[in-house]
Amino acid sequence: MLYAVVDIETTGGYASAHGITEIAIHIHNGLEVVDVFETLINPHQDIPIHIQALTGIDNEMVANAPDFRDVAETIYNLLCDKTFVAHNVNFDYSFVRHHLEACGYGLNAKKICTVRMSRKIFPGFPSYSLGKLCTSLSVPLNNRHRAGGDAAATAILLGMLIENDATGLFGETLKKISKEQTLPPNLQRSEIDKLPNTPGVYYFKNEKGKVVYVGKAKQLKKRVCTHFSGHSISQQRQNFLRSIHSIDFQTCGTELMAFILEAAEIKKLWPENNRAMKRFEQKYSLYHFEDQNGYIRLGIDKYRKNGAILYSFNNLLEGHQLLRTIATDHQLCEKLCFIQTPKLACTAHAEGTCQGACIGEESTALYNFRVKRAIKGLQDLLPSFALIDEGRSEDEKSCLWVEKGKFYGMGYISDHCDVNDLETLKSAITPYPSNDYIMNMILSYGNQFPQKMIPIVFETAN
């Protein structure tokens, strides 16, 4: 078994926009280093001042260094048939692989991360950064933050890891089916192993335990692992992976419940890496109020979280279309519904379909009676039902409660519970916020599985 211990210095933190300024490759046979390749590289871009201060490599030093394409073949030949080893291997591998691909060489090597291996073989150290780990293990580290010095120290560390690998960790890691080296550097394998393959919601947390991402899944373990597959070189992905230190999760009875819980948790926790769901907001709603003349007026306005909402819409056109239909069906004044804004009577009055409320010819009692009838008709169209589905185990069922067109909440009941006992069902429900996104998912699911829906009928006061 031959290992290629690699260290690079770069102009920045992600490969798609930054170059390599130095590379060192130490070929290790498991016992000792048998070959060394080191060179500065001209990145053809300025080296930031803070990186110059860290590495000691400045623009003048690399001005006459070879271009990466000049050494790409040599680098590829050194790496292609060996196990790629580095401290935080995914960083170095992403850079080298990206720049080799730009030169026409496809690298697909097995990887060993000495950070991850050190956490397992030498547990309990306060830090696993290369400098502090070398201090803890008395590994000489000369010429720190230069590719040659860091690669030489990593090669010594590799030898110590192999020598102290009493459980055959290297062999297990290098098995083709092993996904160990695809995991973020700060995430323990045990965090993946604890995940079930059931529907649910997962939470990526940073070093301080703050949630940085919330996701939903039909199969938790399988979905979480997809986050770590591939070799994306974007800054966003690299920063995201480095931020993940632990994973928490909640199991759900169904994928639909996982969708709903995810939406609620994103709104509650506002994780920095969730973007699409943050942008979803209901935009417009139908409201009613009584004006100074005593007429009840209907109108579309921007969504207000605490407003007395009759109906919600994603766009203004959808709202106006519904309001026009209501006005026509119930002979309401288009002026009092803000559909028209004439100074005098509305067009409907001239056509005989408005009884004159817009110019005070119809009494408030008669007009308001029709408005209330229109509101009741609209509310009667809003569905109310309980959706009974699979639970998290064989002895329970899940229940989603929708009341008058709004998602009320969800929860779990015993498999032996009478699903027609609506009071018992509702008592088991945990309230959750509702929006059009959630309701559309529930209604779509209900249309697919109508047998799972139990209508809720509310008694009408006499």
Side-chain angles (χ1 to χ4, degrees):
M1 171 72 72
L2 288 177
Y3 303 88
V5 182
V6 181
D7 192 85
I8 59 173
E9 303 303 331
T10 68
T11 62
Y14 56 103
S16 60
H18 297 109
I20 296 173
T21 59
E22 188 175 38
I23 186 169
I25 303 173
H26 289 212
I27 305 303
H28 198 291
N29 65 6
L31 297 173
E32 60 184 353
V33 173
V34 295
D35 194 9
V36 173
F37 172 82
E38 297 179 11
T39 183
L40 289 167
I41 293 175
N42 188 340
H44 297 290
Q45 59 182 254
D46 284 338
I47 303 173
I49 295 298
H50 69 280
I51 293 181
Q52 292 185 32
L54 178 69
T55 65
I57 302 173
D58 57 29
N59 294 318
E60 185 177 352
M61 287 175 62
V62 298
N64 296 316
D67 183 89
F68 187 89
R69 70 181 60 254
D70 296 330
V71 293
E73 183 178 3
T74 300
I75 291 172
Y76 175 76
N77 289 333
L78 284 168
L79 300 178
C80 66
D81 57 351
K82 301 173 184 68
T83 298
F84 191 108
V85 180
H87 208 69
N88 188 4
V89 70
N90 289 325
F91 174 82
D92 298 78
Y93 188 82
S94 68
F95 263 89
V96 175
R97 186 173 186 268
H98 173 71
H99 287 280
L100 282 174
E101 284 184 347
C103 298
Y105 298 94
L107 181 65
N108 187 24
K110 293 181 178 180
K111 297 179 291 181
I112 287 289
C113 179
T114 51
V115 175
R116 300 189 62 80
M117 286 296 187
S118 297
R119 289 182 187 277
K120 294 175 179 293
I121 295 175
F122 300 122
F125 289 136
S127 172
Y128 289 85
S129 68
L130 183 61
K132 292 182 179 179
L133 183 59
C134 286
T135 298
S136 298
L137 293 172
S138 300
V139 173
L141 177 53
N142 303 312
N143 216 7
R144 181 73 172 112
H145 296 301
R146 289 295 299 271
D150 288 355
T154 304
I156 296 173
L157 176 60
L158 173 65
M160 296 177 67
L161 290 169
I162 293 172
E163 183 180 354
N164 289 274
D165 180 20
T167 61
L169 184 61
F170 271 77
E172 287 297 314
T173 300
L174 292 173
K175 283 182 180 179
K176 190 172 183 180
I177 60 172
S178 175
K179 301 295 184 182
E180 181 78 16
Q181 300 311 307
T182 66
L183 300 183
N186 299 309
L187 186 67
Q188 297 288 338
R189 177 75 201 194
S190 58
E191 294 291 299
I192 298 295
D193 292 339
K194 72 181 182 182
L195 297 173
N197 262 326
T198 60
V201 170
Y202 56 93
Y203 307 79
F204 290 155
K205 296 183 176 181
N206 64 13
E207 189 174 12
K208 296 181 179 179
K210 180 182 178 181
V211 175
V212 295
Y213 183 83
V214 174
K216 49 73 175 62
K218 186 175 182 179
Q219 296 177 289
L220 279 167
K221 180 181 289 186
K222 183 176 180 180
R223 175 67 184 99
V224 166
C225 287
T226 64
H227 282 282
F228 314 133
S229 61
H231 301 288
S232 174
I233 54 178
S234 69
Q235 181 183 30
Q236 177 184 332
R237 175 174 167 79
Q238 294 298 324
N239 291 341
F240 173 57
L241 294 178
R242 280 195 290 268
S243 71
I244 301 172
H245 283 70
S246 63
I247 304 173
D248 202 356
F249 66 94
Q250 290 192 57
T251 58
C252 296
T254 66
E255 186 180 14
L256 175 61
M257 297 182 79
F259 269 101
I260 295 170
L261 180 58
E262 177 201 36
E265 293 289 67
I266 289 173
K267 288 295 183 183
K268 175 184 174 182
L269 300 171
W270 211 249
E272 62 187 71
N273 290 287
N274 288 98
R275 291 174 175 81
M277 196 73 71
K278 285 182 180 179
R279 292 194 295 267
F280 178 83
E281 292 288 351
Q282 291 170 296
K283 296 179 181 179
Y284 300 98
S285 296
L286 176 64
Y287 298 93
H288 71 288
F289 68 95
E290 186 176 304
D291 68 13
Q292 60 186 3
N293 295 318
Y295 291 101
I296 298 175
R297 307 189 67 171
L298 300 178
I300 307 294
D301 200 358
K302 289 184 177 180
Y303 172 79
R304 298 191 298 272
K305 186 175 181 180
N306 297 317
I309 297 169
L310 298 175
Y311 212 92
S312 295
F313 316 95
N314 288 323
N315 60 72
L316 198 55
L317 177 61
E318 180 186 350
H320 281 151
Q321 287 175 338
L322 177 64
L323 188 51
R324 285 182 184 277
T325 300
I326 293 172
T328 300
D329 291 348
H330 296 274
Q331 293 187 313
L332 303 183
C333 173
E334 292 187 349
K335 180 179 178 180
L336 295 189
C337 292
F338 298 96
I339 297 173
Q340 295 184 24
T341 56
K343 293 182 178 179
L344 299 174
C346 66
T347 304
H349 180 260
E351 296 173 351
T353 56
C354 169
Q355 307 303 314
C358 50
I359 54 175
E361 291 184 356
E362 182 178 17
S363 70
T364 56
L366 287 174
Y367 183 79
N368 289 347
F369 173 77
R370 293 202 307 280
V371 175
K372 291 177 182 177
R373 186 172 61 188
I375 292 173
K376 183 179 185 304
L378 180 63
Q379 292 175 335
D380 288 344
L381 292 175
L382 300 175
S384 295
F385 59 88
L387 197 157
I388 307 300
D389 211 332
E390 296 178 3
R392 296 161 298 185
S393 61
E394 293 183 357
D395 60 352
E396 72 174 13
K397 295 178 181 177
S398 62
C399 177
L400 276 69
W401 189 278
V402 173
E403 192 169 307
K404 296 180 179 179
K406 290 188 177 296
F407 172 61
Y408 176 82
M410 59 187 183
Y412 298 93
I413 57 174
S414 167
D415 187 46
H416 306 292
C417 176
D418 181 4
V419 296
N420 294 302
D421 183 354
L422 297 180
E423 288 188 9
T424 300
L425 285 184
K426 193 169 184 179
S427 67
I429 298 299
T430 300
Y432 282 91
S434 177
N435 57 43
D436 285 351
Y437 172 78
I438 291 174
M439 275 306 304
N440 287 338
M441 285 194 299
I442 295 173
L443 293 175
S444 176
Y445 188 84
N447 289 334
Q448 285 183 275
F449 305 100
Q451 72 276 12
K452 298 181 179 182
M453 299 170 66
I454 300 174
I456 298 172
V457 179
F458 297 95
E459 293 184 2
T460 303
N462 295 325

